Amino acid sequence: MRWDTLEEEQCSLARTVAVIGDRWSLLILRECFLRVRRFEEFQSRLGITRHLLADRLKKFVRYGVLRRARYQESPARYEYILTQRGLDLYPVVMSIVHWGDTHMVDERGRPLLHQHKNCGKLFDPVMICSECGEPVHAKQVHTHPGPGAAKTAQASG
Amino acid sequence: MRWDTLEEEQCSLARTVAVIGDRWSLLILRECFLRVRRFEEFQSRLGITRHLLADRLKKFVRYGVLRRARYQESPARYEYILTQRGLDLYPVVMSIVHWGDTHMVDERGRPLLHQHKNCGKLFDPVMICSECGEPVHAKQVHTHPGPGAAKTAQASG
DNA sequence: ATTGACAGTTCTATTTTAGAACTATAGACG
DNA sequence: CGTCTATAGTTCTAAAATAGAACTGTCAAT
């Protein structure tokens, strides 16, 4: 398997991994959700090399996760803003953060707390079933091939 | 930033990314949730090089995501089984799959459908607030420094 | 005695990433 | 006018990670 064919796989996980499945992409995405938008700010907060940052931002724009918006004329300056497609990655980011909060914190506790504006409380994300509303756990799920499944027996998810 | 210090960052996302934040790790994890447990089966399903597979499995064992269990004596043979810590990564995997199902499918549709055994229906994962039970979206969340926050202003999530 | 299954390890070539320097535009400073 | 700073990149070489293939060791079956 080559990485440039990853997005062509018959697997929604593999295709998403083609977009966000490397370390810098996920860290850049974190910054996006913390309202960072500009090249210099991404670079200085993350310590990423400018080369890679430019590459990853281009990739996100290409996949429609970010859009490049001019915020100033002469000299033209651009910032990177989450699209709806990018905002839809929020559950991915939050579930990653939540696993870290649960399993990777040190004795000092969580680095960041999340407040739900709607109810005002500090919260954790919970994954529920869209149909019955109950929390879903790995062992309660059966998978079946869907319409886009590969013909041959193949890993998909 | 060097990758070996990623897990020491004051950020639950960065620490989790140290565990699962590369392409092969996420694909291996997918296979784990599809009940794959053995070296040869991971290798043949994924096409990953044996070198990297051995490396990633060791890393998962080191982080407590998988445990290496002997399933046969003479010759000793081992398989890799999700721990509770590993099972807790299910929301991460499902949210990635769901984003792919929403934004990356081709005209044939989803490769895989998910059935919730409890209610019997095909479902999508939905992220809700643990406190009020309502779906949570990016723009409805405020973040605050927690007890484990770095002293200096720093990106965390 | 040979083959095959299984779970790795070891080796070299290629690709990716790190780290630093460089480019370009334009306003502010003196 | 000439220099400095801010911003958003691009280009270059060195180091690290990954790809791809071959090899190791144990034991059962033929």
Side-chain angles (χ1 to χ4, degrees):
Chain A
M1 180 199 306
R2 299 188 311 277
W3 288 124
D4 51 328
T5 64
L6 193 54
E7 66 180 292
E8 292 158 22
E9 280 211 11
Q10 282 306 308
C11 169
S12 291
L13 185 138
R15 290 179 181 182
T16 305
V17 164
V19 182
I20 62 158
D22 70 283
R23 303 180 186 226
W24 284 124
S25 291
L26 285 163
L27 291 167
I28 290 167
L29 215 48
R30 171 189 79 181
E31 298 302 317
C32 291
F33 281 108
L34 291 170
R35 275 78 175 175
V36 172
R37 295 181 162 194
R38 297 187 185 174
F39 192 94
E40 294 295 323
E41 197 176 356
F42 284 114
Q43 201 280 319
S44 63
R45 288 170 67 105
L46 291 171
I48 184 175
T49 66
R50 309 177 72 78
H51 180 109
L52 270 196
L53 177 57
D55 180 82
R56 293 297 189 276
L57 291 173
K58 265 181 203 154
K59 194 183 71 172
F60 277 148
V61 170
R62 179 156 43 83
Y63 281 114
V65 167
L66 298 177
R67 65 191 169 85
R68 187 163 176 267
R70 182 179 291 207
Y71 70 88
Q72 171 188 295
E73 313 285 331
S74 75
R77 296 267 187 262
Y78 300 91
E79 58 187 5
Y80 296 88
I81 302 176
L82 283 166
T83 61
Q84 186 57 50
R85 187 180 263 224
L87 288 167
D88 285 351
L89 282 166
Y90 195 61
V92 175
V93 169
M94 278 298 278
S95 60
I96 290 173
V97 170
H98 182 59
W99 191 86
D101 281 343
T102 306
H103 294 290
M104 298 291 283
V105 295
D106 58 29
E107 60 288 349
R108 285 174 295 186
R110 299 183 178 190
L112 207 62
L113 303 175
H114 299 270
Q115 182 182 22
H116 190 206
K117 290 183 197 175
N118 301 40
C119 71
K121 294 183 183 159
L122 299 178
F123 76 102
D124 285 326
V126 175
M127 189 182 72
I128 64 166
C129 165
S130 59
E131 304 308 306
C132 71
E134 291 298 307
V136 180
H137 300 288
K139 299 196 171 177
Q140 302 164 345
V141 176
H142 266 145
T143 55
H144 307 277
K151 298 296 168 290
T152 60
Q154 186 187 331
S156 303
Chain B
M1 183 198 306
R2 300 187 310 278
W3 288 124
D4 51 329
T5 65
L6 194 54
E7 65 179 292
E8 292 158 21
E9 278 210 14
Q10 283 305 309
C11 169
S12 290
L13 185 138
R15 291 179 181 182
T16 304
V17 164
V19 182
I20 61 158
D22 69 282
R23 304 179 188 228
W24 284 125
S25 292
L26 285 163
L27 291 167
I28 290 167
L29 215 49
R30 171 189 79 183
E31 298 301 316
C32 292
F33 282 108
L34 291 170
R35 274 79 176 174
V36 172
R37 295 182 161 194
R38 297 188 185 173
F39 192 95
E40 294 295 324
E41 196 175 357
F42 284 113
Q43 201 281 317
S44 64
R45 288 170 68 105
L46 291 171
I48 185 175
T49 67
R50 310 177 73 76
H51 180 108
L52 269 197
L53 177 58
D55 181 81
R56 292 297 189 277
L57 290 173
K58 266 181 202 152
K59 195 183 71 171
F60 277 150
V61 170
R62 178 155 45 80
Y63 281 114
V65 168
L66 298 177
R67 66 191 168 84
R68 187 165 176 264
R70 182 179 291 207
Y71 70 88
Q72 173 189 292
E73 313 284 333
S74 76
R77 295 264 187 264
Y78 300 90
E79 59 187 5
Y80 296 87
I81 302 177
L82 284 165
T83 61
Q84 185 57 50
R85 187 179 265 226
L87 288 167
D88 285 352
L89 283 165
Y90 194 61
V92 175
V93 170
M94 279 297 279
S95 60
I96 291 173
V97 169
H98 182 59
W99 191 85
D101 280 343
T102 306
H103 294 290
M104 299 290 284
V105 295
D106 57 29
E107 61 286 351
R108 284 174 297 187
R110 298 183 178 190
L112 207 63
L113 303 175
H114 298 272
Q115 182 182 24
H116 190 206
K117 291 184 196 176
N118 300 40
C119 71
K121 295 183 183 158
L122 299 178
F123 76 102
D124 285 327
V126 175
M127 189 181 73
I128 64 165
C129 166
S130 59
E131 304 308 305
C132 71
E134 291 299 308
V136 180
H137 301 287
K139 299 195 171 178
Q140 300 163 347
V141 176
H142 264 146
T143 54
H144 306 278
K151 298 298 168 291
T152 61
Q154 184 185 333
S156 302

